[in-house]
Structures are given as structure tokens and as C-alpha cells.
Amino acid sequence: MAAPQVPKVVAPARGMAASAIGMTPCTKNTENIKPMNAPFQTVALKKPSFLQSIFRQNPEENAIIELNNFLASNGIESISPETLENIEAKYNLSLTDRFGLNLEEFYAVALNHYLANIKMSEQESTKLRELATALRLNENTTEYFHLELGKLSYRKCFIKTLNTDEFTKASEDYLKDIQQHLNLPEEAEKAISEEVRSQHLLDYFHKMIADQRVSPQEEAAFKQKAKSLSINPEHTPETKLQLKNFRQYWSLENEELNAIENIFEIQKSETCYLVINRIQFYEPRSNRSKYGGTYEKLIDSGTLYLTQKRIFVTGLEKNYTIKLDNIIRAQKLSEGITIHKMTGRNPTIKANQHDITMLAILLKRLGIFRS
């Protein structure tokens, strides 16, 4: 199937304190934020350097660590503008100027914590507004995080919905309610919906063809899945050929075998089930060098016919017959199939992978043990 190209969905990784612990101003990377039971965790203060100890100076990084630890110990609702002012007076710096991006991340972590269950309560919304005021964040910054984290939450909820149930009208209504609660713009919702539905159908397709067999029931289920997702799957030439081959393999293994008519090279008492053109016929030969051993020598090339009685090859040099009763087993290789016989040399037949696969399936259907 031609997979609609969708951006990779990046799973959020555990996050807040990456900037607070490392003490380097962070960028607005909402994908690195993950909900935790406690959104903030206590971090050890940095020890003063040798010179800082002499001059009795505190490392500047401890200012943002103290703010992080205050949130971890007292909770989001306890912070106020005075909290930041007291820390700034102690360290003689501006938290906004020195650690502005860290303050933004504190807000993003709190927001993501409250979005863990998708829907926030009025109390939680109030806490967030008070936190934004205390951290001196403007409306543009908070709206940015609400949009980006809202999209991540909606995508996660959409994926979970598709993996849990069939996609129905009830599913659409549920997701519409989530979109409205997150205040997600229509264009953002539409983009996420198309991405997630397309990827879900693509994953379903890959699972369906994983065994390189496609039954009529599986194909019907795939079409129904595409219909329920409102997706018209467009197959590439490559996937069209794959589906055709995989349907054929399933049919050869499970349905009544169809005879190929008007094959003049075989006897009237025989039924031909497979014709492979342009095969190569190899036989083992002894290696006369000092190292000994054997090698596969190309003996001939031509057309192979498989009947209920034998493998018959019309070569350029001569014809070759291998009776099925004389075959012990057929060993499928990466480039062909080796026929192990009770007597005589064990030839290897080489052709394209599709033809070799069909030959192996049919030999098994005709009672030949295949390894």
C-alpha cells in the first residue's frame, strides 16, 4: 500500500529537570516532556567552586534549583511572585534574564502533568494561570505550550482510541469532545487525524503481509478497515505486485490447484501445475584442486514444468526429468531450490524468488517434504 507520508510520532521523554539539573537554558522542546506522578523532583544544590568558597559566593545555578525544589516540596499552588523575588535577592540576579527558558519549562512541565488525564479541572486551570503569573510568562508563551502539548495529548488519545476499538461515529464524537476541551484548532486536529489514521492503516497493512500470505478474508478486512478510517489506500506498483504474489501463495497453499492446459511437452496422463521460464539447472561437481570439496556447475538453462508426477526441464542442451517419487526433500535456498534425490546427483534449480517460492509451495502440496 502506498503509505501516506506522515511525520514520525515522537514519544515524549521524561523531562522537566533536564534544564534545571544541567543548568543550561533550554529551548522550547515540548516533545521532551513527560507526565510524572510528581511533576517536580528535588535536585541537590551545586557545591561552590574553590574561588566561590573563598569569596562566599553561591553558584548562580542554585537560584533555579532552589525554585525547582520549592515547587517540588510545596506544590505548584504555593508559588507566588514573592517566591521569585526572594530567590533573586539572595542570588543578586534576575531569574527571567538568566533562566528565562527554564521558567518556561517549569510551566510546560506543570501543564503536561495536568494533561496526563487529558481533561483538566477548573481548579487545575486556575493553578496554571497563577503559576504563569508567578513565573512572569506572557500570554503568547503559555498559548504556545497549550497548543503544542495539546497536540501531543490529542495525538496520544487518537492513537489509543484506534488501538482499542473499531473507529466508529462514537469514536469520532469522543475525539471531537477531546479536541474542544483542549481548545485545539481545526487545522491542527485535521493534520493529526490524517497522520494517525494513515499510520494506523499502514501498520495494519504491514501486519497483514508479514507472513507473505494474504487470504481473501484478510484483504476484505483491510478494505473494511480503510473504509472505517475514511482512507482510500493507493497502492504503489511494488505493493500491488506484493499483494498479487501473496494472494497467489495463499491460494496455492489452501485452494484447489488449477491445471495449466495445452502443455505439449508433457504426457497426456500428466497434469501441469507450474511453468517457469528461464530457469538455470546446476549440478554438484567435485573440486579437483588441492582443497577438494564440491561446487555447483551450471549445466543448462531452459523451461521447467511441474506435474503431479515429475519435474521436467526442457533445456538448451537436453531435457531433464526428476520423478517426484525419487525426491527425498526439497531445500529452498536464497537463490533457488536444491532437489535431494534417492539416487543420482542433487540438482539446484535457480530462478527468480517468486517462481522458486511457488515451486516450493507446490512441491509441498504434492507430498514432497520441504526444509
Side-chain angles (χ1 to χ4, degrees), residues 185-288:
E186 289 290 338
E187 60 271 17
E189 187 280 332
K190 183 179 179 181
I192 292 170
S193 174
E194 290 178 354
E195 292 169 11
V196 175
R197 287 183 292 112
S198 297
Q199 187 61 49
H200 183 77
L201 187 64
L202 179 60
D203 292 341
Y204 187 92
F205 177 80
H206 285 157
K207 289 179 181 177
M208 180 181 72
I209 66 171
D211 61 353
Q212 299 189 355
R213 305 291 188 273
V214 175
S215 69
Q217 294 79 11
E218 287 175 323
E219 190 164 12
F222 172 75
K223 291 179 179 178
Q224 180 57 39
K225 171 71 73 172
K227 183 179 179 181
S228 70
L229 294 173
S230 300
I231 295 176
N232 181 21
E234 297 180 359
H235 299 292
T236 65
E238 181 182 358
T239 55
K240 282 183 180 179
L241 180 60
Q242 277 186 326
L243 278 174
K244 178 183 176 183
N245 291 344
F246 297 163
R247 290 190 204 105
Q248 191 170 13
Y249 300 159
W250 186 92
S251 177
L252 289 176
E253 289 178 336
N254 296 277
E255 297 180 338
E256 183 178 353
L257 297 180
N258 294 320
I260 301 175
E261 304 293 341
N262 301 320
I263 303 298
F264 300 108
E265 286 79 0
I266 64 172
Q267 301 169 1
K268 292 184 179 180
S269 61
E270 292 181 289
T271 301
C272 183
Y273 294 117
L274 180 66
V275 178
I276 305 177
N277 296 309
R278 296 184 295 278
I279 67 104
Q280 292 180 316
F281 197 81
Y282 290 78
E283 285 186 351
R285 291 290 188 270
S286 297
N287 194 332
R288 297 182 180 180

Side-chain angles (χ1 to χ4, degrees), residues 49-78:
S49 66
F50 176 72
L51 289 178
Q52 286 174 332
S53 297
I54 293 176
F55 293 104
R56 297 183 179 180
Q57 296 176 338
N58 288 316
E60 286 188 351
E61 295 91 335
N62 284 343
I64 197 69
I65 291 179
E66 282 203 22
L67 181 55
N68 173 77
N69 292 347
F70 179 90
L71 290 167
S73 302
N74 300 284
I76 295 170
E77 66 278 0
S78 300

